[in-house]
């Protein structure tokens, strides 16, 4: 049995009195112990919605309209709030994008860490303090003892995100969901933070769901990859395989559009147009208006995810090299 | 030798910080320290570095949006940093800027036509209303904007479309020099390539010179002619774009290159110690990078290195780079 099994998850928001729009339109995934999964997509693709839905954190008026989220076989969406609290923040932790917003500015680092700990464990003040210091050391925060009494504004962005990671690790979770954990940070700090997350996941055999828009980051960190577009997964599989031989035209387009793939001064491959808003999805495959390979069939119905790709005309590895040379000339 | 279009000589920008009313100290933030760069006509001069390194301040100082406390800024051989607003006005049409965030840089209550017409009316008062209209229409077409956008407001557009409008606004006075401050970092991945291609095309057609400010070295590799790597208000390395990727000379440039996530992997495999910019208020005496440098020696803590040329044409501010 997989550690986490998400099946056909739908999230809907009301539009007007009777109508609803779907932000997530049937997403499934499985995560084994210690496995690292990357979720990639543009803003509005539903990546964060997926993370929130897994933890049953979709705020009113939104709702999970369909699907199951099984953690060790138990459906989190059926659990009463009291029970899910034993899992959320304890066995499944989250790291959010902006550490300045995640941390409470008027509480010291120590208070915030101990608050998390007390919510999930019966522990004495002295032991709690010692554990907090140990966790701060684990994330390589210099002079950890004195940092406990510091406030978030006294720390730099990189250190703040390290504190957030330390808090996420306090309860020794089995899964960490990291939603764009380094987007607000500089490249050098991003490298530090991602190297740290990678090391901790490997050492402690923690599973990771890494949500990002950066294909370079997922290539570095994850083993499995899921590419999302307009609320659906369009391609999923081993990270290496998708990066080397993408099958979905969108995945292939994203990779080809990276500046490192084009020669100096040459024209970059560009995906025309932009992602449609969820309130106004095109008929048929949602990607067909931007797709180079769209056929009559793509206008009709939406393709299901078959063999890891949701496309009627998936690219074979030959086709990829063909289009590549085309872009080069 | 051709004359640089823009040149800075020993430019310093300082920002006085609020003082405590009992304290005699007057803290000053050193945003730029002795910056000497020259931008040649027709090139894409890239400025890279982490946040707080002074790259945006440099762009703004050149356009006269921050006034330097020391040094000289030249535009086509003419000194511009001491000019008052009236003297500067005829030059403004030749120097324009594209900002990072198109959600913040466009006035939400002004339609696209008004946004584009304002700089023309202000900087080119000799043009008639009809000429303004044709000019706006031409620039919109050139930047890939639909003519029907003119009467619409910014909120009706996506990020990529807004950035096209912002680029059109910068180009409407027909400038020779454009400062582009992180023009693609607020955009989605699939849109970034569209905007980069647009900037390249416009450069070819109009012979534009760019000062391209970015934190993303992979963009520099594709787009840049020459690169200045900045750290704590100082230029650490100045090189041709090809050279800097093939032979980075400064340890800081090396650090930046190592930090780029790569599709082949391998960048995040070794743990890294936390490193941060030193406090720009109390500048270290020696090399600003000394605290993070793996090759630091005593001399680095005592003496600040100045830019010096190396045999491969790179200029580097490091005592030990060869």
């Amino acid at each position: 049995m997989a550690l986490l099994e998400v099946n056909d998850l739908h999230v809907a928001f009301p539009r007007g009195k009777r109508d609803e729009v779907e932000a997530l339109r049937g997403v499934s995934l499985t995560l084994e112990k210690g496995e690292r999964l990357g979720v990639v997509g543009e803003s509005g693709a539903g990546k964060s919605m997926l993370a929130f839905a897994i933890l049953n954190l979709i705020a009113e008026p939104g709702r999970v309209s369909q699907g199951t989220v099984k953690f060790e076989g138990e459906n989190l969406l059926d659990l009463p709030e009291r029970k899910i609290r034993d899992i959320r923040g304890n066995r499944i932790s989250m790291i959010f994008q902006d550490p300045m917003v995640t941390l409470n500015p008027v509480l010291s680092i120590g208070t915030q860490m101990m608050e998390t700990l007390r919510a999930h464990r019966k522990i004495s003040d002295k032991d709690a303090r010692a554990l907090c210091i140990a966790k701060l050391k684990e994330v390589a925060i210099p002079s950890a003892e004195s940092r406990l009494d510091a406030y978030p504004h006294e720390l730099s962005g990189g250190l703040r995100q390290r504190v957030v990671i330390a808090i996420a690790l306090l309860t020794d979770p089995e899964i960490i969901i990291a939603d764009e954990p380094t987007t607000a940070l500089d490249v050098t700090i991003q490298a530090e933070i991602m190297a740290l997350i990678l090391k901790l996941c490997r050492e402690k055999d923690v599973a990771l769901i890494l949500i990002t828009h950066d294909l370079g980051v997922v290539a570095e960190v994850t083993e499995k990859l899921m590419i999302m577009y307009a609320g659906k997964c369009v391609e999923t599989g081993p990270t290496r395989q998708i990066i080397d031989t993408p099958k979905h035209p969108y995945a292939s387009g994203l990779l080809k559009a990276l500046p490192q793939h084009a020669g100096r001064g040459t024209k970059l491959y560009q995906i025309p147009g932009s992602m449609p808003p969820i309130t106004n999805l095109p008929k048929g495959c949602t990607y067909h208006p931007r797709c180079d390979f769209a056929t009559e069939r793509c206008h009709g119905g939406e393709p299901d995810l078959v063999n890891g790709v949701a496309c009627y005309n998936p690219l074979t590895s030959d086709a990829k090299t063909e289009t590549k040379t085309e872009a080069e000339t | 030798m051709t004359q640089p279009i823009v040149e800075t000589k020993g430019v310093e920008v300082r920002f006085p910080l609020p003082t405590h009313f009992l304290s005699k100290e007057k803290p000053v933030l050193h945003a730029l320290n002795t910056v000497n760069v020259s931008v040649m006509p027709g090139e894409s001069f890239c400025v890279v570095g982490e946040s707080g390194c002074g790259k945006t301040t440099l762009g703004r100082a050149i356009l006269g949006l921050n006034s330097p406390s020391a040094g000289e800024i030249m535009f086509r051989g003419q000194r511009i940093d001491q000019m008052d607003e009236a003297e500067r006005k005829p030059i403004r049409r030749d120097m324009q800027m594209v900002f990072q965030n198109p959600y913040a840089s466009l006035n939400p209550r002004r339609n696209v036509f008004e946004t584009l017409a304002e700089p023309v009316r202000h900087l080119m008062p000799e043009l008639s209303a009809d000429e303004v209209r044709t000019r706006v229409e031409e620039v919109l077409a050139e930047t890939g904007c639909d003519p029907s956008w003119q009467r619409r407001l910014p909120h009706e557009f996506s990020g990529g479309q807004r950035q096209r409008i912002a680029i059109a606004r910068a180009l409407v006075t027909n400038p020779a020099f454009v400062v582009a401050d992180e023009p693609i970092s607020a955009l989605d991945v699939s849109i970034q390539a569209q905007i980069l291609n647009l900037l390249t095309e416009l450069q070819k057609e109009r012979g534009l010179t760019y000062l391209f400010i970015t934190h993303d070295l992979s963009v520099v590799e594709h787009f840049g002619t020459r690169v200045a790597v900045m750290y704590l208000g100082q230029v650490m390395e100045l090189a041709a774009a090809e050279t800097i990727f093939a032979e980075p000379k400064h340890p800081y440039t090396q650090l930046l290159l190592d930090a780029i996530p790569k599709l082949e992997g391998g960048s995040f495999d070794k743990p890294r110690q936390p490193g941060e910019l030193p406090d720009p208020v109390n500048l270290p005496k020696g090399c600003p990078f000394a605290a993070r440098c793996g090759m630091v020696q005593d001399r680095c803590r005592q003496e600040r290195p100045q830019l010096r040329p190396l045999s491969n044409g790179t200029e580097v501010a490091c005592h030990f780079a060869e």
Side-chain angles (χ1 to χ4, degrees):
Chain A
M1 183 177 62
L3 181 62
L4 183 76
E5 220 178 313
V6 175
N7 201 2
D8 194 29
L9 199 60
H10 289 251
V11 171
F13 287 83
R15 171 170 61 180
K17 279 209 172 101
R18 269 178 223 123
D19 203 11
E20 274 191 327
V21 281
E22 284 195 315
L24 216 53
R25 302 181 302 125
V27 175
S28 305
L29 65 91
T30 56
L31 194 67
E32 304 290 341
K33 193 170 162 48
E35 197 173 38
R36 296 185 301 277
L37 167 76
V39 180
V40 173
E42 293 174 63
S43 30
K47 322 186 283 291
S48 299
M49 208 48 77
L50 174 64
F52 284 118
I54 288 174
L55 291 170
N56 202 2
L57 280 174
I58 300 291
E60 288 279 327
R63 66 188 183 94
V64 175
S65 49
Q66 200 180 319
T68 55
V69 176
K70 283 190 175 154
F71 178 64
E72 292 184 329
E74 203 171 16
N75 188 358
L76 296 185
L77 303 175
D78 291 341
L79 289 184
E81 186 60 24
R82 187 175 49 78
K83 279 246 173 101
I84 199 167
R85 276 193 201 148
D86 290 340
I87 293 170
R88 190 199 294 149
N90 185 17
R91 301 181 63 192
I92 306 179
S93 290
M94 258 190 107
I95 301 171
F96 295 95
Q97 177 169 350
D98 189 342
M100 199 61 221
V101 182
T102 317
L103 295 170
N104 186 332
V106 298
L107 298 180
S108 71
I109 302 297
T111 314
Q112 300 191 47
M113 293 187 81
M114 281 190 250
E115 190 179 41
T116 309
L117 208 47
R118 288 244 175 68
H120 299 293
R121 303 263 188 287
K122 283 208 170 80
I123 188 167
S124 76
D125 273 8
K126 212 177 126 202
D127 291 350
R129 208 177 155 84
L131 187 61
C132 291
I133 293 173
K135 289 292 170 190
L136 288 180
K137 283 187 176 153
E138 219 169 90
V139 296
I141 288 185
S143 50
E145 288 87 348
S146 60
R147 298 288 186 183
L148 270 192
D149 301 314
Y151 288 85
H153 74 268
E154 299 175 271
L155 305 178
S156 67
L159 283 184
R160 268 182 227 139
Q161 198 61 304
R162 280 175 194 262
V163 170
V164 173
I165 296 173
I167 294 178
L169 289 173
L170 268 177
T171 52
D172 294 317
E174 282 126 281
I175 301 176
I176 294 180
I177 301 178
D179 187 1
E180 305 257 11
T182 55
T183 309
L185 305 174
D186 272 314
V187 252
T188 54
I189 314 292
Q190 161 169 292
E192 284 168 19
I193 297 292
M194 286 321 309
L196 175 71
I197 292 179
L198 185 58
K199 172 176 162 263
L200 292 167
C201 286
R202 279 184 182 151
E203 274 171 13
K204 295 170 182 286
D205 211 13
V206 180
L208 174 73
I209 300 180
L210 177 68
I211 295 168
T212 174
H213 61 271
D214 190 329
L215 283 160
V217 171
V218 287
E220 295 270 359
V221 176
T222 64
E223 305 148 325
K224 236 168 49 170
L225 184 59
M226 193 168 130
I227 307 231
M228 289 190 68
Y229 189 80
K232 267 201 165 172
C233 167
V234 292
E235 182 162 2
T236 180
T239 307
R240 229 5 330 134
Q241 185 192 313
I242 295 184
I243 288 194
D244 293 340
T245 51
K247 291 198 197 95
H248 197 282
Y250 178 61
S252 149
L254 281 184
L255 283 158
K256 277 193 288 180
L258 295 176
Q260 53 257 48
H261 276 197
R264 285 180 48 74
T266 58
K267 200 167 183 245
L268 290 174
Y269 173 83
Q270 61 183 53
I271 303 178
S274 52
M275 195 172 72
I278 52 164
T279 46
N280 189 19
L281 292 178
K283 272 212 174 76
C285 170
T286 49
Y287 185 63
H288 87 256
R290 304 175 76 185
C291 186
D292 293 340
F293 305 93
T295 57
E296 200 58 38
R297 196 174 170 204
C298 307
H299 297 251
E302 201 167 6
D304 293 322
L305 198 65
V306 181
N307 294 330
V309 57
C311 182
Y312 291 129
N313 313 304
L315 307 175
T316 57
S317 39
D318 300 345
K320 192 208 162 198
T321 45
E322 208 172 277
T323 52
K324 211 175 181 183
T325 44
E326 215 170 84
E328 274 162 10
T329 48
Chain B
M1 207 180 112
T2 43
Q3 187 189 34
I5 185 163
V6 169
E7 199 173 2
T8 70
K9 293 179 181 163
V11 167
E12 296 191 6
V13 175
R14 303 214 170 98
F15 297 113
L17 296 174
T19 37
H20 190 266
F21 73 105
L22 286 176
S23 156
K24 283 207 180 105
E25 277 173 42
K26 289 208 171 77
V28 171
L29 188 144
H30 302 258
L32 287 183
N33 299 307
T34 0
V35 174
N36 298 305
V37 293
S38 48
V39 183
M40 293 305 184
E43 75 172 340
S44 303
F45 187 90
C46 296
V47 183
V48 292
E50 293 167 274
S51 32
C53 74
K55 49 191 197 301
T56 298
T57 311
L58 176 63
R60 294 178 62 98
I62 290 173
L63 294 182
L65 301 172
N66 295 129
S67 42
S69 38
E72 294 179 13
I73 297 171
M74 322 286 279
F75 179 69
R76 292 180 169 150
Q78 186 187 8
R79 186 157 177 201
I80 55 169
D81 56 291
Q82 308 238 303
M83 286 181 170
D84 61 30
E85 208 35 53
E87 287 175 297
R88 195 182 265 278
K89 204 171 161 185
I91 297 172
R92 284 217 189 267
R93 64 165 76 163
D94 288 330
M95 306 175 88
Q96 288 289 327
M97 184 155 181
V98 177
F99 296 90
Q100 172 169 5
N101 186 350
Y103 289 85
S105 70
L106 298 176
N107 185 337
R109 299 184 55 175
R110 204 175 265 182
N111 69 32
V112 174
F113 176 78
E114 285 304 316
T115 298
L116 263 72
E118 194 195 15
V120 191
R121 288 187 193 130
H122 181 65
L123 297 172
M124 307 174 123
E126 70 277 10
L127 295 188
S128 71
D130 275 346
E131 284 169 317
V132 173
R133 194 167 309 117
T134 8
R135 187 172 269 266
V136 168
E137 278 167 8
E138 278 167 16
V139 168
L140 280 175
E142 208 181 333
T143 49
C145 303
D146 196 273
S148 68
W149 293 5
Q150 287 187 57
R151 300 289 154 204
R152 288 162 66 188
L153 292 169
H155 75 262
E156 301 176 56
F157 299 101
S158 69
Q161 291 171 331
R162 282 179 210 219
Q163 200 60 302
R164 280 178 196 272
I165 295 165
I167 292 171
R169 176 180 59 184
L171 295 182
V172 74
T173 58
N174 204 7
F177 175 75
V178 174
V179 174
D181 188 358
E182 304 256 14
I184 59 165
S185 43
L187 305 175
D188 267 314
V189 217
S190 78
I191 310 298
Q192 290 188 348
Q194 296 178 4
I195 297 297
L196 270 184
N197 280 342
L198 175 66
L199 289 172
T200 316
E201 272 165 37
L202 290 167
Q203 183 172 39
K204 277 190 195 137
E205 280 160 25
R206 292 173 163 245
L208 286 172
T209 308
Y210 289 125
L211 183 84
F212 194 89
I213 299 167
T214 178
H215 65 275
D216 188 344
L217 279 161
S218 58
V219 174
V220 175
E221 188 171 16
H222 175 74
F223 188 79
T225 321
R226 282 190 305 144
V227 195
V229 179
M230 287 188 70
Y231 189 76
L232 208 68
Q234 206 179 321
V235 176
M236 304 307 260
E237 183 163 355
L238 194 62
E242 298 102 328
T243 325
I244 212 158
F245 288 92
E247 313 168 53
K249 293 295 182 185
H250 199 283
Y252 178 59
T253 312
Q254 189 65 57
L255 178 82
L256 281 182
L257 288 173
D258 286 346
I260 304 177
K262 293 164 195 75
L263 292 178
E264 307 79 53
S267 283
F268 299 161
D269 278 347
K270 40 188 187 295
R272 293 154 184 267
Q273 281 309 304
E276 258 123 46
L277 284 173
D279 182 7
V281 178
N282 303 304
L283 282 183
K285 189 174 149 208
C287 174
F289 188 60
R292 287 168 81 177
C293 185
M295 310 179 343
V296 65
Q297 308 219 2
D298 279 346
R299 189 177 163 200
C300 305
R301 296 201 181 87
Q302 298 305 322
E303 192 188 327
R304 174 169 303 180
Q306 299 297 324
L307 273 185
R308 61 187 168 90
L310 298 178
S311 55
N312 69 346
T314 298
E315 286 181 66
V316 66
C318 175
H319 293 307
F320 300 103
E322 278 164 3

